[in-house]
Amino acid sequence: MAEIDMPGDEVARVRDLLGRVMELVETKASGFDAADVGPPLERSGDNFDKKWNDGRFQLKRNGKVLRDACEAIVKAFEDADQDMGQQLKEGNGQ
């Protein structure tokens, strides 16, 4: 029988960190206001935030795909582990 070493904790951590990254990417939701940085940088900050919209959209979309994939991997291995454990319990009772 082959042993499969699945780093479930690490994959779950990646899933959680991707969620955090996606939260931080959304500058408007964080309360970002270009005026807060002051007159010398205000225009540059506002310009960057407007141009960042496309990148933000792509990063959030791709991040969600990766996060969902991590969740599916963790769930699949947890389900397989539970199924094998149940089969072992049933096999010992016979």
Side-chain angles (χ1 to χ4, degrees):
M1 178 179 269
E3 183 176 320
I4 299 174
D5 183 23
M6 205 304 264
D9 292 340
E10 288 86 352
V11 175
R13 178 118 170 94
V14 167
R15 175 201 60 208
D16 296 342
L17 289 173
L18 280 168
R20 181 67 178 134
V21 166
M22 291 179 351
E23 289 173 12
L24 293 173
V25 164
E26 188 58 61
T27 54
K28 294 294 183 192
S30 69
F32 172 77
D33 184 1
D36 291 341
V37 296
L41 299 175
E42 181 177 355
R43 186 178 316 154
S44 295
D46 192 45
N47 188 35
F48 172 82
D49 194 54
K50 286 177 183 170
K51 288 184 177 182
W52 172 229
N53 278 334
D54 288 341
R56 181 184 306 133
F57 174 77
Q58 289 177 335
L59 187 61
K60 287 173 67 177
R61 182 185 61 207
N62 293 340
K64 181 180 181 336
V65 169
L66 288 171
R67 187 172 173 214
D68 291 348
C70 288
E71 180 63 32
I73 290 168
V74 169
K75 182 165 179 15
F77 272 91
E78 286 174 350
D79 291 348
D81 188 45
Q82 289 176 359
D83 289 346
M84 284 188 268
Q86 187 62 35
Q87 288 176 12
L88 287 172
K89 286 180 184 176
E90 292 170 1
N92 286 337
Q94 295 179 352

